[in-house]
C-alpha cells in the first residue's frame, strides 16, 4: 500500500455533499467524491465509465484542514439553452483562500498512474466546481509503503505564507479520514459522498464513515514556495514611512 498526498489550494473551492435545487452548499473540507472526481478527470475517465471509476472509489481517503478559509455566498442567474427562459436565482457557497492536504491510500501502481495523470491531466482539474481552478500543482508526493494516518500527520503544514504570518499557529490540525481496519465507528460521522457513478443520467453516491482525528501541527512547508509574496507588504512600508 502507498499514499498519494495532494495540496488543494485556490482562490475558491466548493465541495458539495448534499446540494439540492437552487441552494448549492459546500462542506468545510474536500469530499471524497470531489477528490476522486478530480483524479478521474486527470486520468481521462469518462463520467459514464463506472468500471474504471471503481478502483479509484475504493481508495481510502482522508483530508487535513491546514487553512480553513472563509465561507462566502454568491448568487447566479441562468437561461435555458433552448428556450431562453430565465432559470430560478440560485445560491452558491464557496470557501475562499482555503488550503487542504488530501490523501488517498491504495495500490502503489494505481497511485503512480494517478500521480502521473495529475502532472499531465487529460481534463483540467478543478476544486469541486469548474469555476474553481487550483492555484498550484496538486501533487505533493507519493509515499511508497506509507499509511494514510502517518502521511496526514507528517506532511509539512501547507498554509500560505501570508496566513502563517498573520495568524497564530494552531496546536493541532483537524483531520477527517475513513476508518481503518479494526477501528470502531464510535464517535464517527456518516457522509453520503462515496462515489458509485458520475454518469449524469444516474449519478449515485453511497454512505461512508468519517472519523475526526486531529494531529499535532507539523513543521511548516518550505517558505521559499512561490506563495510567499504578500501584496500587503507595500502598504506596511507606506505606513512605516508615514510614522
Amino acid at each position: 500500500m502507498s499514499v498519494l498526498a495532494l495540496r488543494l489550494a485556490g482562490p475558491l473551492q466548493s465541495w458539495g455533499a448534499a446540494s439540492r435545487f437552487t441552494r448549492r452548499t459546500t462542506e468545510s473540507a474536500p469530499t471524497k467524491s470531489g477528490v476522486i472526481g478530480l483524479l478521474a478527470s486527470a486520468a481521462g475517465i469518462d463520467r459514464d465509465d463506472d468500471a474504471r471509476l471503481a478502483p479509484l472509489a475504493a481508495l481510502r481517503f482522508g483530508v487535513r484542514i491546514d487553512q480553513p478559509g472563509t465561507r462566502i455566498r454568491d448568487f447566479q442567474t441562468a437561461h435555458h439553452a433552448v428556450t431562453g427562459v430565465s432559470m430560478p436565482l440560485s445560491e452558491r457557497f464557496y470557501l475562499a483562500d482555503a488550503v487542504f492536504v488530501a490523501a488517498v491510500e491504495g495500490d502503489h501502481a494505481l497511485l503512480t498512474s494517478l500521480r502521473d495523470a495529475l502532472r499531465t491531466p487529460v481534463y483540467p482539474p478543478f476544486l469541486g466546481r469548474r469555476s474553481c481552478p487550483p492555484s498550484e500543482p496538486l501533487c505533493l508526493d507519493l509515499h511508497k509503503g506509507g499509511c494514510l494516518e502517518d502521511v496526514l500527520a507528517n506532511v509539512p503544514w501547507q498554509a500560505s505564507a501570508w496566513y502563517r504570518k498573520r495568524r497564530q499557529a494552531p496546536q493541532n490540525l483537524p483531520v477527517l479520514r475513513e476508518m481503518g481496519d479494526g477501528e470502531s465507528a464510535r464517535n464517527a460521522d456518516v457522509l453520503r459522498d462515496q462515489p458509485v457513478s458520475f454518469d449524469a443520467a444516474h449519478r449515485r453516491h453511497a454512505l461512508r464513515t468519517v472519523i475526526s482525528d486531529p494531529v499535532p501541527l507539523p513543521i511548516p512547508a518550505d517558505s521559499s514556495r512561490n506563495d510567499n509574496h504578500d501584496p500587503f507588504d507595500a502598504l506596511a512600508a507606506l505606513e512605516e514611512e508615514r510614522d
Side-chain angles (χ1 to χ4, degrees):
M1 303 294 280
S2 296
V3 178
L4 178 63
L6 312 175
R7 182 178 190 265
L8 306 179
L12 294 175
Q13 306 186 38
S14 188
W15 307 97
S19 297
R20 289 291 184 273
F21 307 111
T22 60
R23 183 178 173 86
R24 304 298 179 90
T25 60
T26 179
E27 300 294 318
S28 59
T31 60
K32 181 176 183 179
S33 176
V35 173
I36 294 301
L38 182 155
L39 294 171
S41 176
I45 299 176
D46 293 330
R47 283 184 173 273
D48 59 355
D49 195 340
D50 297 345
R52 290 187 64 194
L53 172 66
L56 277 64
L59 295 170
R60 187 163 166 247
F61 173 73
V63 62
R64 193 180 76 196
I65 304 175
D66 284 29
Q67 184 175 318
T70 303
R71 191 181 300 267
I72 63 174
R73 180 174 62 173
D74 184 31
F75 294 97
Q76 293 189 12
T77 60
H79 292 80
H80 193 280
V82 177
T83 65
V85 174
S86 296
M87 306 297 286
L89 182 70
S90 63
E91 282 183 294
R92 307 292 176 103
F93 291 82
Y94 300 87
L95 298 174
D97 294 327
V99 180
F100 305 99
V101 172
V104 287
E105 178 189 86
D107 177 71
H108 181 72
L110 173 59
L111 295 182
T112 299
S113 68
L114 293 176
R115 178 200 61 189
D116 296 342
L118 288 172
R119 292 174 175 172
T120 56
V122 176
Y123 302 116
F126 50 87
L127 305 178
R129 291 195 187 131
R130 290 189 180 89
S131 59
C132 303
S135 59
E136 294 187 12
L138 293 165
C139 187
L140 281 174
D141 202 0
L142 176 59
H143 302 264
K144 186 175 183 179
C147 76
L148 189 73
E149 289 83 354
D150 290 344
V151 170
L152 290 174
N154 294 308
V155 167
W157 189 27
Q158 297 295 315
S160 302
W162 66 264
Y163 182 88
R164 299 199 302 265
K165 182 178 179 180
R166 285 172 166 73
R167 302 292 182 92
Q168 182 177 358
Q171 293 184 342
N172 299 292
L173 296 177
V175 168
L176 305 172
R177 60 173 179 81
E178 294 182 4
M179 286 194 307
D181 293 337
E183 278 193 291
S184 171
R186 184 180 300 175
N187 299 324
D189 293 324
V190 176
L191 192 65
R192 187 177 290 278
D193 79 322
Q194 171 66 35
V196 177
S197 175
F198 289 139
D199 192 329
H202 52 81
R203 186 174 299 179
R204 301 192 307 277
H205 297 83
L207 297 174
R208 70 183 182 94
T209 304
V210 180
I211 293 177
S212 178
D213 186 22
V215 298
L217 181 75
I219 60 171
D222 185 0
S223 61
S224 66
R225 195 175 54 226
N226 63 7
D227 68 354
N228 59 4
H229 168 66
D230 187 346
F232 290 98
D233 285 343
L235 295 178
L238 290 175
E239 291 180 357
E240 292 176 359
E241 291 178 2
R242 188 177 305 166
D243 295 339

